[in-house]
Amino acid sequence: MPKLWSETVEAHRQAVRDATLETTAALVAEYGLSSVTMSQIAKEAGIGRATLYKYFPDVESILIAWHERHVTDHLGHLAEVRDRADTPAAQLEAVLRAYAHITHKRPRDSEIAAFVHRGEHLATAQQQLRGLVGDVVAGAARVGVVRDDVPPAELADYCLHALAAAGGLPSEAAVQRLVDVTLAGLRPRS
Amino acid sequence: MPKLWSETVEAHRQAVRDATLETTAALVAEYGLSSVTMSQIAKEAGIGRATLYKYFPDVESILIAWHERHVTDHLGHLAEVRDRADTPAAQLEAVLRAYAHITHKRPRDSEIAAFVHRGEHLATAQQQLRGLVGDVVAGAARVGVVRDDVPPAELADYCLHALAAAGGLPSEAAVQRLVDVTLAGLRPRS
């Protein structure tokens, strides 16, 4: 297969996949998980029903793929934010602010959220997130801007749990205060 | 009805209720929610099936009552711990340590936990918990041992979320470190 053709096929597959994910999430948000069918998704996404089944066996698997894409995007975003900052202290602050922002914006209490957060696929993403934050915390501890009397992995768990409070906060200003308080917990004891 | 008799009736009711709650929780933990029946509960608790139905309509409602009792016990314990400490700083530390300990010991990932945590009955308990911790934080802020640049209610949410990390920690020592870190986040900025 010539390279150009295989790239075109790949781009087409990606486009079908993307359209399917977005259509399904929108339909489930509007009508509820139990009333959305594969036929409805195919029709709304503008693809054949047989084609849809080549990609996904059922509505649930589409929702999980949709959520996995979101999670991957978020992890990628946090890695980018980390790489743009130039000191360990700045990396830590930037990653925690970005994570708190994601948590604040994340839709909650929806049927989709309840469904996807039950999934086992989350364990890997959770592990990657803890790894990313743990590394940034460890980097900041090595240069003395984070306390070294608590293991970095425990501090990362503390951060991720504390920042989960952002989900219930009413304003971006409150989210920034939460990050300030969380960061204060990480400082070396004077 | 003479007082003694009514007290005896009340004590009897409470005993039936307690036996039912404990029996149900034990049976569901052993056999799973879907395979435990009201007949089985009546038999194991040593009461008649008709009597059991006078107290509860189904297995789910028994589990919710069981969980509510636990939550009430925990709130009572936190209030006791608070009242035993004699300064606002000591109250704050004692309540946070007690809450982290409860969170650490709480069984997780069980079918019972997943079921009872879906319940709407938790909203009130959650509100009471936030109120109790918020008041203790506010008391400590008034005497200057907690930062006053963030509203006490936000600091209480931060504490409760941060201390939820205790659930995944491997040791009581790690739980104490988590409380230390969480408390450090609350200190006034120097």
Side-chain angles (χ1 to χ4, degrees):
Chain A
M1 197 148 54
K3 187 152 177 283
L4 189 65
W5 175 241
S6 88
E7 273 172 13
T8 310
V9 169
E10 192 37 56
H12 174 72
R13 280 199 186 125
Q14 197 54 50
V16 170
R17 233 182 111 82
D18 286 352
T20 305
L21 302 186
E22 291 312 319
T23 303
T24 306
L27 284 172
V28 170
E30 191 166 351
Y31 302 106
L33 182 53
S34 60
S35 50
V36 173
T37 63
M38 290 293 271
S39 306
Q40 207 178 346
I41 291 166
K43 195 179 152 203
E44 284 281 328
I47 54 174
R49 200 164 159 277
T51 307
L52 177 58
Y53 275 106
K54 276 188 205 147
Y55 288 79
F56 297 103
D58 50 32
V59 181
E60 285 79 5
S61 63
I62 305 177
L63 272 189
I64 287 173
W66 171 82
H67 186 245
E68 276 178 329
R69 202 188 56 183
H70 269 278
V71 170
T72 306
D73 286 354
H74 289 157
L75 283 168
H77 175 62
L78 293 178
E80 247 178 68
V81 158
R82 174 196 62 201
D83 296 341
R84 272 206 305 269
D86 51 7
T87 65
Q91 289 189 326
L92 177 63
E93 177 158 355
V95 166
L96 296 193
R97 294 214 183 273
Y99 179 73
H101 184 75
I102 290 170
T103 304
H104 180 55
K105 293 288 171 198
R106 185 160 55 194
R108 285 161 309 128
D109 301 330
S110 74
E111 194 193 13
I112 298 186
F115 173 75
V116 295
H117 286 112
R118 272 207 307 264
E120 282 166 21
H121 67 285
L122 269 186
T124 314
Q126 202 59 31
Q127 222 31 61
Q128 289 176 301
L129 179 62
R130 292 170 75 193
L132 191 151
V133 176
D135 288 347
V136 172
V137 167
R142 273 194 297 274
V143 299
V145 295
V146 157
R147 60 199 299 159
D148 60 2
D149 57 340
V150 178
E154 285 179 24
L155 292 176
D157 269 357
Y158 151 79
C159 291
L160 293 173
H161 278 87
L163 296 177
L169 290 174
S171 67
E172 190 60 43
V175 172
Q176 297 313 321
R177 287 193 290 271
L178 173 65
V179 179
D180 293 341
V181 171
T182 305
L183 279 166
L186 298 177
R187 289 207 189 97
R189 288 201 284 181
S190 48
Chain B
M1 197 152 51
K3 185 149 177 284
L4 189 64
W5 176 241
S6 90
E7 273 172 11
T8 309
V9 169
E10 191 39 55
H12 174 73
R13 280 196 188 129
Q14 197 54 51
V16 170
R17 232 182 112 83
D18 287 353
T20 306
L21 300 187
E22 291 313 319
T23 303
T24 307
L27 284 173
V28 170
E30 190 166 351
Y31 302 106
L33 182 53
S34 60
S35 52
V36 173
T37 63
M38 291 291 273
S39 306
Q40 208 177 347
I41 292 167
K43 197 179 150 202
E44 284 281 327
I47 54 175
R49 202 165 157 276
T51 307
L52 178 58
Y53 276 105
K54 275 188 208 147
Y55 288 78
F56 297 102
D58 50 33
V59 181
E60 286 78 5
S61 62
I62 305 177
L63 273 189
I64 288 174
W66 172 81
H67 186 244
E68 277 177 330
R69 202 188 55 183
H70 269 278
V71 170
T72 306
D73 286 354
H74 288 157
L75 282 169
H77 175 62
L78 292 178
E80 247 178 67
V81 158
R82 173 197 63 201
D83 296 341
R84 272 205 304 267
D86 51 7
T87 65
Q91 289 189 325
L92 177 62
E93 176 159 354
V95 166
L96 296 193
R97 293 211 185 275
Y99 180 73
H101 184 75
I102 290 169
T103 304
H104 179 55
K105 293 287 173 199
R106 184 159 57 192
R108 286 162 308 130
D109 302 330
S110 74
E111 195 193 12
I112 297 186
F115 173 74
V116 295
H117 287 111
R118 271 206 307 266
E120 282 165 23
H121 67 285
L122 269 185
T124 314
Q126 201 60 31
Q127 221 33 60
Q128 288 176 301
L129 179 61
R130 291 170 76 195
L132 190 152
V133 175
D135 287 347
V136 172
V137 167
R142 273 194 297 275
V143 298
V145 295
V146 156
R147 58 197 302 158
D148 60 3
D149 57 341
V150 178
E154 285 179 25
L155 291 176
D157 269 355
Y158 151 79
C159 291
L160 293 173
H161 278 87
L163 296 177
L169 290 175
S171 67
E172 191 60 43
V175 173
Q176 298 312 321
R177 288 194 290 270
L178 173 66
V179 179
D180 293 340
V181 171
T182 305
L183 279 166
L186 297 178
R187 289 207 188 97
R189 288 201 284 181
S190 48

